[in-house]
Amino acid sequence: MSAAEPDGLSGELRAEVDEKLLDQVVGFVAQLQDTLESTLDIVESPLKTVISDQSRIVVTTRDESGVPLRINGEHVLSLKLDYHCAWDTLGHFLAVDRSAFHLVLPGVTEPLLHYDYESHPRGDIPCAHFNVHGHRDELIYAMMAADFKYQAKNRARRVVNGKAPRLAQLHIPTGGHRFRPCLEDLVQMVIFEFGVDTRDGWREAISYGRMLWKDNQLASAVRDNPGKAAEQLQRMGFTVAPPSEWPALNEKKLSAY
């Protein structure tokens, strides 16, 4: 079975799955695997696809401990990936409803850092953010000195209960729904910052994967605000005519945060 195909998918379960969504996800997985296999020195297909329900398919690392990252042949780090895929709000395009990238040490539960995206985040947490698991006294001091509102209110309650703030609780926003980092950004980071083993041509593979990501996100951003896209195209000399159902296309915009 190809890693791009759903694991353990019985005939009965396949009948319950949205086949068009499944086809879209298979193409998405192939693109992700191409990035990983063309950049990192890995020996087997790193991803698997799991059916969650009729309207959601999860793409995750085949090994629960993550994709091994080697430095001079030694397994030093692991990269764990999760994508929850579904149709967009209009039911026309594949969308990532949730995603998580975790950089971990082998055998250690708590990650070094993780990057999360939630299309519908709880409370005021940024939809796209990363957390660093570490410690610095000055930053912890600033977190404890924060005003008693928003996330600081939750931290203050924990302090009252004897639990000091941790740097990992700090949600650092990164680009919002449309301009958040992609897998290629994280792969480039582990190569530059940790010197993990790579394959020949990794730079070109990252550039190509990032170009595909940006093109898809640009198309999504245009769907979020077609009026602004048309306005800019007109400034550049293009002739743009709105469709008859134009008002309905611009009723809802995603928050940038």
Side-chain angles (χ1 to χ4, degrees):
M1 175 179 290
S2 167
E5 296 175 353
D7 289 11
L9 186 60
S10 67
E12 181 180 353
L13 185 56
R14 177 178 286 277
E16 297 176 359
V17 176
D18 185 327
E19 288 288 348
K20 291 184 179 179
L21 175 62
L22 185 59
D23 289 342
Q24 292 281 319
V25 171
V26 167
F28 177 60
V29 173
Q31 180 183 327
L32 295 175
Q33 293 208 142
D34 185 60
T35 289
L36 293 171
E37 293 174 347
S38 300
T39 55
L40 302 172
D41 186 19
I42 51 183
V43 296
E44 62 180 13
S45 297
L47 302 178
K48 66 179 180 180
T49 310
V50 180
I51 302 301
S52 177
D53 54 45
Q54 288 180 315
S55 60
R56 186 181 304 273
I57 299 175
V58 178
V59 179
T60 187
T61 44
R62 183 171 295 279
D63 188 331
E64 291 185 1
S65 62
V67 179
L69 305 178
R70 295 178 173 83
I71 300 177
N72 297 322
E74 181 181 355
H75 182 191
V76 177
L77 297 165
S78 293
L79 178 61
K80 298 174 67 175
L81 305 173
D82 282 289
Y83 294 87
H84 291 242
C85 303
W87 290 122
D88 67 353
T89 53
L90 297 177
H92 295 161
F93 300 95
L94 176 67
V96 174
D97 190 50
R98 293 167 47 199
S99 64
F101 305 162
H102 287 217
L103 188 63
V104 299
L105 292 171
V108 178
T109 302
E110 185 175 16
L112 296 172
L113 58 88
H114 63 94
Y115 166 73
D116 299 317
Y117 169 70
E118 294 271 356
S119 61
H120 299 91
R122 66 185 188 279
D124 294 318
I125 291 177
C127 66
H129 64 267
F130 73 88
N131 304 78
V132 178
H133 291 245
H135 182 80
R136 180 168 177 180
D137 291 340
E138 295 87 349
L139 194 51
I140 298 301
Y141 171 81
M143 292 170 72
M144 293 188 69
D147 197 7
F148 193 72
K149 57 186 176 183
Y150 308 125
Q151 282 297 105
K153 179 185 285 188
N154 296 328
R155 288 199 299 268
R157 290 195 186 102
R158 288 191 286 267
V159 170
V160 170
N161 293 325
K163 297 180 180 179
R166 301 176 64 238
L167 183 55
Q169 296 169 346
L170 199 63
H171 299 82
I172 304 171
T174 53
H177 287 280
R178 297 306 180 210
F179 305 107
R180 61 191 192 271
C182 57
L183 174 61
E184 287 75 14
D185 295 324
L186 185 59
V187 170
Q188 184 173 16
M189 188 274 286
V190 297
I191 292 172
F192 279 170
E193 300 298 335
F194 298 100
V196 302
D197 297 345
T198 59
R199 294 191 182 279
D200 292 340
W202 66 266
R203 293 176 186 271
E204 292 79 7
I206 284 178
S207 295
Y208 179 69
R210 185 180 284 129
M211 178 193 70
L212 294 179
W213 165 262
K214 287 184 176 180
D215 285 350
N216 287 335
Q217 294 306 100
L218 175 59
S220 297
V222 169
R223 291 195 297 272
D224 290 343
N225 195 343
K228 180 58 68 174
E231 181 182 304
Q232 179 59 36
L233 286 170
Q234 288 170 338
R235 286 199 192 101
M236 297 170 65
F238 289 84
T239 300
V240 183
S244 58
E245 65 273 23
W246 159 244
L249 294 177
N250 207 33
E251 286 179 353
K252 185 178 180 181
K253 299 177 183 179
L254 286 170
S255 165
Y257 188 64

